[in-house]
Amino acid sequence: MTHFLDINTTPADDLRAIIDQAKAIKNARAGLPKGALDADAPLAGQMVALIFEKPSTRTRVSFDVGVRQMGGQTMVLSGQDMQLGHGETIADTARVLSRYVDMIMIRTFEEATLQEMAEYASVPVINGLTNRTHPCQIMADILTFEEHRGPIAGKKVVWSGDGNNVCASFIHAAGQFGFDLTFTGPQTLDPEAVFVEEARAKGVNITIERDARAAVEGADLIVTDTWVSMHDPQSARERRHNQLRPYQVNQDLMALAKPDALFMHCLPAHRDEEATTAVMDGPNSVIFDEAENRLHAQKAVMRYCLGK
């Protein structure tokens, strides 16, 4: 049984195989209606539980559609339906669900919830997001970059803004896929030091640069995310904005990167806050390719977990 919990805990060769399979899955579906089954229907007869303690658009739709395209069925459960850890332990919930379904995807708050679910489930568990990491998003981002610019190994990625869960998984990916990453943002929002050191130990350059203009010089890819994450209290909004305004991705900042540098944002976005509309809708933006590729990357992740 194989879980997909984080990029840094998945073997690098397996990650490469997932990306390569995602490319093949996407190519094989060219021109097909969205509701058409994949030719081999690898999840025929399989039931997948999709658990959402956190609300979602892209994660929910992409996993649901992906399971259905592969011939499986989904059971979508909210945090209110499950009441995870309230009344019944997560361990017992994992044991019970394993009697009903063939795989579990969970989008939750605490990393401990994910880890306990994986420890006690007897079916594969996939991390759909925690407050700490978001590996499925970054697998889609790697797929998107390589579609447009070829292998990501040896490239320079710049993360501008908050060193949040998406940033953490990008740092994991740097170590596993062999690209360099520069974080530019305020010190109070730095990514976790343990993730930075782990990636550096794998031989890649992880740089902290406070000056956004200096950070993006020579960048092949610039990435940002919302300044206020969904688990942050509303009271943090003004404080975050004051800290992060110097790290807005705008046309002036993009002009300092390589001419063909790509721009990514995992969405949802607050337009003209973390990135301007001119950048998001500009010629270097691939944000909607990113969104689509959640589907293909996650289908490859699910196949990987089920040995398909």
Side-chain angles (χ1 to χ4, degrees):
M1 183 181 62
T2 303
H3 299 307
F4 185 77
L5 303 183
D6 275 311
I7 288 173
N8 64 328
T9 59
T10 304
D13 288 347
D14 291 355
L15 294 169
R16 171 46 58 190
I18 291 169
I19 294 295
D20 291 345
Q21 185 170 50
K23 294 175 184 177
I25 289 168
K26 184 174 183 177
N27 291 337
R29 289 196 61 85
L32 290 179
K34 302 298 189 294
L37 292 181
D38 290 354
D40 56 348
L43 265 63
Q46 305 273 324
M47 177 66 73
V48 181
L50 306 177
I51 302 172
F52 294 93
E53 278 201 293
K54 283 190 172 187
S56 167
T57 299
R58 276 150 294 280
T59 300
R60 176 167 179 164
V61 174
S62 57
F63 267 107
D64 200 346
V65 171
V67 172
R68 292 167 187 256
Q69 287 182 349
M70 293 191 290
Q73 299 182 64
T74 60
M75 177 183 298
V76 181
L77 300 164
S78 72
Q80 291 177 327
D81 296 326
M82 302 294 296
Q83 295 187 349
L84 281 172
H86 301 285
E88 182 175 57
T89 67
I90 294 164
D92 285 352
T93 299
R95 293 181 179 110
V96 170
L97 282 177
S98 298
R99 301 296 182 100
Y100 299 142
V101 304
D102 300 286
M103 183 161 50
I104 298 166
M105 189 288 301
I106 181 168
R107 180 179 172 96
T108 187
F109 292 91
E110 300 302 325
E111 183 184 41
T113 302
L114 168 74
Q115 296 294 339
E116 188 171 350
M117 182 72 71
E119 180 178 356
Y120 290 97
S122 57
V123 299
V125 173
I126 296 172
N127 178 1
L129 174 144
T130 70
N131 287 353
R132 201 173 186 212
T133 62
H134 196 1
C136 287
Q137 177 63 57
I138 277 39
M139 294 299 284
D141 293 353
I142 301 297
L143 173 61
T144 305
F145 183 90
E146 294 198 343
E147 281 183 332
H148 288 270
R149 298 290 185 264
I152 197 167
K155 302 296 185 181
K156 178 181 177 179
V157 175
V158 175
W159 179 278
S160 184
D162 178 8
N164 62 10
N165 52 355
V166 186
C167 178
S169 287
F170 241 120
I171 293 170
H172 290 166
Q176 297 289 63
F177 287 94
F179 59 87
D180 297 330
L181 186 143
T182 297
F183 170 82
T184 186
Q187 185 175 1
T188 52
L189 298 176
D190 274 354
E192 288 190 43
V194 65
F195 294 156
V196 171
E197 294 308 316
E198 181 185 70
R200 286 173 175 165
K202 294 178 179 178
V204 298
N205 295 318
I206 307 296
T207 303
I208 307 295
E209 172 57 68
R210 302 297 171 209
D211 183 344
R213 294 174 65 84
V216 301
E217 184 177 349
D220 297 285
L221 169 63
I222 298 176
V223 193
T224 193
D225 195 4
T226 55
W227 287 348
V228 181
S229 297
M230 64 177 65
H231 61 270
D232 292 325
Q234 188 62 28
S235 60
R237 184 176 180 85
E238 185 175 352
R239 183 173 68 253
R240 285 289 185 90
H241 279 220
N242 290 337
Q243 289 180 292
L244 288 165
R245 282 191 184 95
Y247 301 98
Q248 182 191 67
V249 182
N250 50 42
Q251 288 177 303
D252 289 342
L253 197 67
M254 288 294 300
L256 299 173
K258 288 183 178 178
D260 64 346
L262 297 178
F263 169 75
M264 290 189 187
H265 189 308
C266 68
L267 304 178
H270 296 91
R271 284 173 174 260
D272 297 313
E273 290 186 8
E274 65 269 12
T276 61
T277 292
V279 169
M280 294 185 67
D281 294 337
N284 297 72
S285 174
V286 290
I287 59 174
F288 297 112
D289 291 342
E290 262 186 286
E292 177 190 343
N293 283 338
R294 288 290 301 277
L295 170 65
H296 310 300
Q298 288 161 185
K299 286 170 72 174
V301 167
M302 288 188 279
R303 284 175 177 251
Y304 166 72
C305 289
L306 292 172
K308 303 285 187 177

